[in-house]
Structures are given as structure tokens and as C-alpha cells.
Amino acid sequence: MIEFSTWDILRNLLLAARWTVVLSLVSFAGGGLVGLLVLFGRISPRKAIQRAAKAYIELLQGTPLLMQLFLIFFGLGMFGVDVPAWLAAGSALTLWSAAFLAEIWRGCVESVSKGQWEASASLGMGRLQQMRHVILPQALRVAVPPTVGFSVQVVKGTALTSIIGFTELSKAGTVVTNATFQPFTVYGLVALIYFALCWPLSKSSQILERKLNVAHRGH
């Protein structure tokens, strides 16, 4: 029987953790871009666009991420569309992230007083100009802490992609456990790596929120 040292186990887990980081970054960035489009739809003056954006958010927030992964990976396969595990994982996490980010940002945009809209409109600004020059800069300061905080959920959400065969950190944990028969050591290290990835993000969110509150009281 081959003996595996703790360093051997850790090295293999860290290699897989790279894919967790890559998937998190791609999903968060893609979710941000899609979420921005959904946000504009959500606050659009056109009712039909508003309803479509709201339906998207409610559908993605109201169904499990695991189900969304299954639908993209296995559902499309039923129609003869072969979707690689990494593409299905990235697509599902991107669409899921977009729904939550759009709703976070909508709340931040709505936190800007209506007087700002009225004042910018009185200067002859169109809606896009209002958003770009007046509303979004103010909403951005409020949006940063919850947005950074949500990135923690994206990192932890990558663990579910192991169910469709994507080899990220949790999937690697299962593979290494089957090879080493050391589940306590393996999953203990998996937990520590997830903590090392998520704790700085969570701490950053708290620090940004405190700074925002201090700045707000200062004004």
C-alpha cells in the first residue's frame, strides 16, 4: 500500500484549488456583466422589460443551483448538445450569480434619493446619462461591501459543480480520499483551503462596510 504524506495530499488539493479560483473569477466576472444588463432591465421604464428581468431573477433565485447545473449539463445533452463540464459549471454559476448581483445592485440604485433623479433630469440629462454620471457613482459606494460579500457565496457554490464531474477542490477531495483512505486529513485540508479563500473576502466586505458607515456619518 502506497503511503501518502500530508504534503502529498495538500499538493494535490492545491492544484485542484486553482480551478476553484478560476471558476469563481470567471463566474463572478461573467455574473457581473450579465447582472448589469439585468439591472438595467429591472429599472427600465418599459414594463415588459421590467417583468422579464424580474422573472429571470425570481427563477434563478427561486431554484437550487444544483438543479440549474443539471439542466445545463444533462438537459442539453438530451437534445444532442454535448456540453463540457467546465462550460456547464461556468454558465450555471454565471447565470446564478447574475440574478443575485442584479438584485443587490437594484437595492443600491434605489437607495439613491429620488431628488438626485429629479435634479439630473432638470439639467436635461437622459436616463443613461443620469445612470452614468449621477446614480451609479453614488450606488457604487453602497454596492461594494455586499458585492464583495457575495463573492464568498460564489466560491462556496463551486463545490456543487463536482456533481457534474468538474474537478475543483471538493471533487479533488473525494478523489484523494479514495486513493489515500484518509478522509479526516483530506477533508480537514479541504475545509482549511476553502477558509483561506473565503475569509479574506468576508473580512474585506466587513472592513468596506465599516469604512462606508464612517464616511456616511462624517458627511
Side-chain angles (χ1 to χ4, degrees):
M1 180 177 173
I2 301 175
E3 292 291 333
F4 292 89
S5 68
T6 301
W7 169 243
D8 291 329
I9 295 172
L10 180 60
R11 184 174 64 247
N12 282 282
L13 293 177
L14 288 174
L15 288 173
R18 295 182 305 173
W19 292 109
T20 293
V21 173
V22 170
L23 180 59
S24 300
L25 290 173
V26 169
S27 302
F28 189 74
L33 292 174
V34 177
L36 193 60
L37 293 175
V38 177
L39 167 65
F40 281 114
R42 191 72 177 83
I43 62 176
S44 170
R46 299 185 179 182
K47 294 296 183 183
I49 297 177
Q50 271 190 34
R51 292 192 191 98
K54 184 178 180 180
Y56 172 87
I57 291 171
E58 290 182 348
L59 178 64
L60 272 293
Q61 287 189 347
T63 54
L65 175 57
L66 185 60
M67 187 207 73
Q68 296 163 26
L69 284 163
F70 276 149
L71 286 177
I72 293 176
F73 186 69
F74 296 110
L76 292 177
M78 294 174 62
F79 297 97
V81 180
D82 185 20
V83 183
W86 65 267
L87 181 58
S91 299
L93 275 168
T94 292
L95 297 174
W96 177 79
S97 299
F100 284 90
L101 288 173
E103 197 65 2
I104 289 171
W105 295 341
R106 181 185 68 84
C108 296
V109 167
E110 291 184 350
S111 71
V112 178
S113 68
K114 290 184 178 180
Q116 296 293 316
W117 289 96
E118 294 167 355
S120 55
S122 68
L123 295 174
M125 290 185 181
R127 192 168 182 85
L128 286 178
Q129 290 178 310
Q130 289 176 294
M131 288 293 293
R132 179 182 175 184
H133 298 293
V134 179
I135 306 303
L136 287 182
Q138 296 182 62
L140 181 62
R141 291 194 293 270
V142 184
V144 170
T147 300
V148 174
F150 178 73
S151 65
V152 175
Q153 303 304 316
V154 177
V155 174
K156 292 191 289 188
T158 60
L160 291 175
T161 63
S162 62
I163 202 71
I164 61 171
F166 183 78
T167 306
E168 41 63 69
L169 181 55
S170 62
K171 177 71 172 180
T174 301
V175 174
V176 173
T177 296
N178 291 338
T180 63
F181 302 102
Q182 299 181 51
F184 183 81
T185 299
V186 173
Y187 285 110
L189 290 172
V190 167
L192 286 175
I193 295 172
Y194 271 118
F195 180 78
L197 293 174
C198 294
W199 185 80
L201 296 172
S202 179
K203 197 67 177 176
S204 297
S205 176
Q206 294 171 13
I207 293 170
L208 287 167
E209 189 170 1
R210 282 199 298 269
K211 287 183 176 180
L212 181 66
N213 291 335
V214 170
H216 180 73
R217 286 196 296 268
H219 289 295

